[in-house]
Amino acid sequence: MLGLGAAGLVTAPYLQSGLESFLGAASGKDPTGLTGLLPNGGGFRYYSVTASVPRKGPDTYRLTVDGLVDRPGTYTLDGLRALPQTRIVRDVQCVTGWRVPNTPFGGVRLAHLLDAAGVRPEAGAVRFTCFDGTYSESLTLQQARRADVLVALSMRDEPIGHAHGGPVRLYVAPMYFYKSAKWLSGISVTSDVRPGYWEERGYDVDAWVGRSNGRDDAPTV
């Protein structure tokens, strides 16, 4: 019995990693979204609003910054990695109820990219688009400049995998996880907030954890 217990401790991380990899791969080919209902050891669920999402790597990934800015630009994955990095550890709270505590995210502060682009005085919001071709999100300019809003390159101290929205995703620590857009490809500065994919389907635009969407979850800050 002791031997079986020790073997379980040794193999558990590999089994968890294998299960997460399987569910991540399956979710990318599941147009029903049912794989998102399956539990996994990491606590996360895999969601996509499209039947399939192309994969991007260092040679193909690009992030554009444009709109009401003086210096539009395009970043490669290596270019983002070369910028100053910030690490944040927060609980991740999904509006559907599940929560993953003490999850590290690392990346570039969104405010850094906005400052580099030179936001114009008439700007009031930021819109995010994704290379799945469907998902979008928005923040007010004040929200986007918070120190706990990242253009994230790592999660749990590893590069963000495709199933989790990699290689680059948005991470908005104090808001429900639907605000943290996966597969980020575009940052556009706008005059006003434009409702994103889920806001057009009834979710709150300002998605503070515990203070929106009719939920009373403990804040993630």
Side-chain angles (χ1 to χ4, degrees):
M1 291 178 66
L2 289 174
L4 289 173
L9 291 174
V10 171
T11 59
Y14 299 99
L15 292 173
Q16 175 178 322
S17 177
L19 178 58
E20 291 192 16
S21 297
F22 167 76
L23 289 174
S27 67
K29 301 176 182 178
D30 176 18
T32 69
L34 292 177
T35 49
L37 303 177
L38 297 175
N40 71 78
F44 286 88
R45 302 294 182 266
Y46 298 95
Y47 299 116
S48 174
V49 298
T50 62
S52 64
V53 181
R55 292 178 178 268
K56 303 283 187 178
D59 295 334
T60 57
Y61 179 78
R62 297 294 183 272
L63 174 64
T64 60
V65 181
D66 58 20
L68 298 176
V69 297
D70 294 325
R71 297 177 293 277
T74 301
Y75 292 87
T76 64
L77 192 55
D78 288 339
L80 290 171
R81 289 169 175 165
L83 296 175
Q85 303 290 302
T86 296
R87 184 176 184 267
I88 296 173
V89 181
R90 296 282 194 278
D91 292 356
V92 170
Q93 177 69 53
C94 182
V95 74
T96 60
W98 56 263
R99 190 180 187 107
V100 182
N102 301 319
T103 304
F105 279 86
V108 182
R109 286 182 177 174
L110 177 58
H112 181 94
L113 298 184
L114 295 175
D115 289 342
V119 175
R120 295 177 183 171
E122 63 267 32
V126 184
R127 183 172 186 264
F128 308 95
T129 52
C130 308
F131 61 81
D132 69 349
T134 302
Y135 205 87
S136 64
E137 259 306 337
S138 286
L139 296 170
T140 67
L141 190 57
Q142 183 179 13
Q143 292 167 353
R145 287 192 177 280
R146 288 177 59 107
D148 53 5
V149 177
L150 301 181
V151 173
L153 309 175
S154 68
M155 186 181 81
R156 296 187 288 190
D157 296 319
E158 296 181 352
I160 298 178
H162 177 76
H164 285 298
V168 179
R169 71 175 298 160
L170 187 66
Y171 177 53
V172 185
M175 293 190 179
Y176 285 104
F177 210 34
Y178 67 85
K179 300 295 289 189
S180 298
K182 298 166 73 173
W183 306 299
L184 184 65
S185 62
I187 298 172
S188 187
V189 179
T190 60
S191 58
D192 301 299
V193 169
R194 302 179 188 178
Y197 181 89
W198 285 115
E199 287 87 357
E200 292 176 343
R201 290 156 176 81
Y203 284 75
D204 287 353
V205 173
D206 291 323
W208 306 108
V209 172
R211 294 188 284 126
S212 65
N213 294 287
R215 297 188 60 87
D216 60 355
D217 304 286
T220 55
V221 294

